[in-house]
Amino acid sequence: MKFNAKLRDVQGSSASRRLRRAGSVPGIVYGGKGEAVSIELDHNQMYHAVRKSEFHASVLEMNLDGKVENVLLRAVQWHPYKQQVLHIDFQRVEAGQAITTKVPLTFINAELSPAVKLHGENVSHVLNEIEITCLPKDLPVEIVVDLAELESAQVVHLGSVKAPKGVTFVAPEDEVLASAVAPKGPKVEAADDAEGEAAAE
């Protein structure tokens, strides 16, 4: 994914407010071999970009005044009640240098699992993202967790998920990603009563 940025000479809270009124977003780029520099970005472009999961888990191409740099999105500051991006942080990445970042977890096939299909249980997602280490070229957009074999009252640990090629999980293997839980409420009690009556008969 690509985006444009411009160097920002004037800094400070008042300068940032003027930028925002003009439809721009203040930001910073740091890391790598270069020094930290202040930048400004188009608010509309950033507003739509940061709402996409791949923008948070991809190596991005930043065109900074005609010079292209590879960066990772590191932080986004939102206005407390307006739909407005207030500030963005990016980190430079180099092709041969490993990076540590978080990527989203995508859960699939829960509806096919015995826990859901046979026992009517719900699947609780304990984590929505996981921290990994890899080279920039190996950075995945997501980590897919297949729940098709999830049994009743069972949990899914990180150790059961195969990491993509070139990717290492930072968390331990016993990290819980999801679990099957019985639904709560009157329907469950009614079902239990019905099962009890059937057993008595």
Side-chain angles (χ1 to χ4, degrees):
M1 300 183 70
K2 303 177 182 180
F3 66 96
N4 298 317
K6 295 188 295 184
L7 285 172
R8 176 165 56 100
D9 297 327
V10 182
Q11 302 181 36
S13 57
S14 58
S16 295
R17 283 194 295 269
R18 287 195 297 271
L19 275 179
R20 296 183 187 112
R21 285 196 296 267
S24 297
V25 180
I28 189 171
V29 183
Y30 60 88
K33 296 180 180 179
E35 296 181 355
V37 294
S38 298
I39 60 174
E40 62 177 279
L41 311 110
D42 179 76
H43 180 270
N44 286 340
Q45 183 184 27
M46 289 297 102
Y47 174 81
H48 293 291
V50 298
R51 296 168 73 89
K52 299 177 181 177
S53 59
E54 57 265 34
F55 196 77
H56 292 255
S58 301
V59 175
L60 311 170
E61 288 189 11
M62 179 183 67
N63 188 328
L64 181 59
D65 289 340
K67 180 183 177 182
V68 176
E69 296 187 70
N70 291 329
V71 298
L72 279 177
L73 177 65
R74 279 310 191 191
V76 180
Q77 181 184 352
W78 288 88
H79 192 280
Y81 57 87
K82 295 180 181 178
Q83 293 294 307
Q84 182 183 16
V85 182
L86 298 180
H87 195 276
I88 304 184
D89 294 2
F90 295 99
Q91 179 184 354
R92 298 184 187 91
V93 297
E94 298 181 23
Q97 184 175 346
I99 56 176
T100 300
T101 189
K102 291 183 178 181
V103 296
L105 295 172
T106 299
F107 298 92
I108 63 171
N109 295 329
E111 70 281 359
L112 302 179
S113 68
V116 175
K117 199 170 182 179
L118 301 181
H119 301 281
E121 296 181 344
N122 296 323
V123 176
S124 173
H125 297 167
V126 179
L127 294 179
N128 292 315
E129 59 183 10
I130 199 75
E131 193 169 32
I132 65 166
T133 297
C134 65
L135 291 175
K137 68 179 180 64
D138 296 323
L139 179 63
V141 175
E142 61 184 1
I143 298 294
V144 177
V145 182
D146 192 342
L147 301 175
E149 303 300 322
L150 183 64
E151 297 287 346
S152 175
Q154 192 180 47
V155 299
V156 178
H157 294 101
L158 181 60
S160 65
V161 178
K162 184 178 179 180
K165 184 179 179 180
V167 173
T168 301
F169 293 128
V170 175
E173 290 190 352
D174 60 357
E175 187 80 65
V176 176
L177 306 182
S179 62
V181 294
K184 298 178 181 179
K187 291 184 178 180
V188 176
E189 295 173 1
D192 291 342
D193 291 342
E195 290 174 4
E197 292 173 3
E201 293 174 1

